[in-house]
Amino acid sequence: MNTTKVDTAPSSTHARSFSLGDLIRRRPETITFALLVTICVAVSIANPAFLQPSTLIDIGRASVVMGLFALGVFVILAAGGIDVSFTAIAAFTMYSVTLLVQTYLPGLPIIVIILIAMAGGVLLGVINGLLVHHLRVPSLIVTIGTQYLFRGFLLSFIGTVWIMSLPPQMGAFGRMPLLQFETANGALVTLPFYFLVLPLAAILTWWILNRTLMGRAIFAVGGNANIAERLGYSLRTVHLFLFGYAGALAGLAGIIHVCANRQANPFDLVGTEINVIAAVVLGGARITGGTGTVLGTILGVLLVVVINSVLVLVGIPSTWQRLVVGSFILLAAAFFVTRQRKK
């Protein structure tokens, strides 16, 4: 009896410590969540205004477009690729569709406008997928090229003039409230209806990756493309789906961006690629592919948005935002690599 007690206690202690480390290793987004909570608590103590409903709603509103981009990037990253053309796809579709509706189809319902923008994004994304598959070169190289191609075509052949007066149905969609209330000082705070698009897109992406054969194929290709192909997965089908789906999310993000800002600027969204990729990486996804979760991606987006909001709230210049985000990426990368080595 005494011997059994002596042998069991150390093993149970070891099991408890192992389970904690295993949790962090298997679910790296727990670190992202802990970091997000820590920042929010610290800022709330330093400045209680951070917890005002208007600030929280601003964070939610700012997360929508970045979150849609990040979900598309995550799906491609899970398969071992990377895409930097999503902002060019968004700019191309949002400006082209807005110009089309304004000039030729002023009475088109908003749902049809959204579907056209998504279809345009799918088309441009499929071009990416075909090039990646048939050229057999890294997707980073292909999407750098198509980024310039799509932007160049937009600015050369479609237009460079800001559209300041949107069709009424697009402006109405951008203003449509999901939640609206008046603060103590009389200001009207509105959570827009389009905010619902992000959780719906996240649920759909989770379902695809965790409940479908395509989701298995994506992670298999991310683990090892050659082995996945020998197991019977079609790399061509996976590449077309990946980039087509990311393109659809980019087109959706673009049209929401236009409706929310009530103007269509063909030069918008340039340079936001790094923030989006940073959010996905901070969410626990690895550049090498095969890992990551939708929840981690959303937490990464919230972390980047909160960091940017906090810096503005405390009066730190916006030029410091990339410095801070870059530091967090390096720290996260160092942590994940250290955990992997211990494993």
Side-chain angles (χ1 to χ4, degrees), residues 11 15 42 57 81 99 105 126 141 144 155 245 266 278 280 283 291 328:
S11 62
I57 285 178
L99 190 62
L105 303 166
V126 166
I141 296 174
I144 287 175
L155 299 176
Y245 185 70
V280 180
T291 61
F328 273 109

Side-chain angles (χ1 to χ4, degrees), residues 274-314:
I274 300 301
N275 265 355
V276 174
I277 295 172
V280 180
V281 173
L282 287 171
R286 288 206 303 262
I287 296 292
T288 51
T291 61
T293 63
V294 170
L295 176 60
T297 299
I298 297 300
L299 288 173
V301 169
L302 289 174
L303 181 59
V304 172
V305 172
V306 166
I307 290 171
N308 292 340
S309 300
V310 165
L311 294 179
V312 172
L313 193 65
V314 299

Side-chain angles (χ1 to χ4, degrees), residues 162-337:
W162 289 18
I163 300 176
M164 304 296 292
S165 179
L166 292 183
Q169 66 273 38
M170 294 178 68
F173 178 69
R175 294 188 300 269
M176 186 185 302
L178 175 66
L179 176 65
Q180 194 172 62
F181 59 91
E182 189 173 333
T183 62
N185 59 6
L188 193 63
V189 178
T190 303
L191 180 65
F193 182 81
Y194 64 74
F195 173 78
L196 288 177
V197 173
L198 179 57
L200 290 175
I203 291 170
L204 175 61
T205 305
W206 177 89
W207 180 79
I208 291 171
L209 291 176
N210 294 276
R211 293 291 185 267
T212 68
L213 182 60
M214 179 56 70
R216 294 181 184 179
I218 288 170
F219 282 113
V221 171
N224 190 307
N226 293 328
I227 293 177
E229 194 169 26
R230 286 200 293 270
L231 290 173
Y233 293 115
S234 169
L235 294 185
R236 184 177 188 274
T237 302
V238 172
H239 285 146
L240 292 183
F241 176 82
L242 286 175
F243 288 95
Y245 185 70
L249 291 176
L252 177 59
I255 209 68
I256 287 177
H257 176 79
V258 167
C259 295
N261 290 279
R262 296 163 199 170
Q263 64 177 15
N265 177 7
F267 299 96
D268 265 357
L269 303 174
V270 178
T272 59
E273 300 88 354
I274 300 301
N275 265 355
V276 174
I277 295 172
V280 180
V281 173
L282 287 171
R286 288 206 303 262
I287 296 292
T288 51
T291 61
T293 63
V294 170
L295 176 60
T297 299
I298 297 300
L299 288 173
V301 169
L302 289 174
L303 181 59
V304 172
V305 172
V306 166
I307 290 171
N308 292 340
S309 300
V310 165
L311 294 179
V312 172
L313 193 65
V314 299
I316 297 177
S318 59
T319 51
W320 283 71
Q321 292 178 6
R322 293 194 179 191
L323 175 64
V324 175
V325 172
S327 300
F328 273 109
I329 293 174
L330 291 177
L331 290 172
F335 177 82
F336 294 147
V337 168

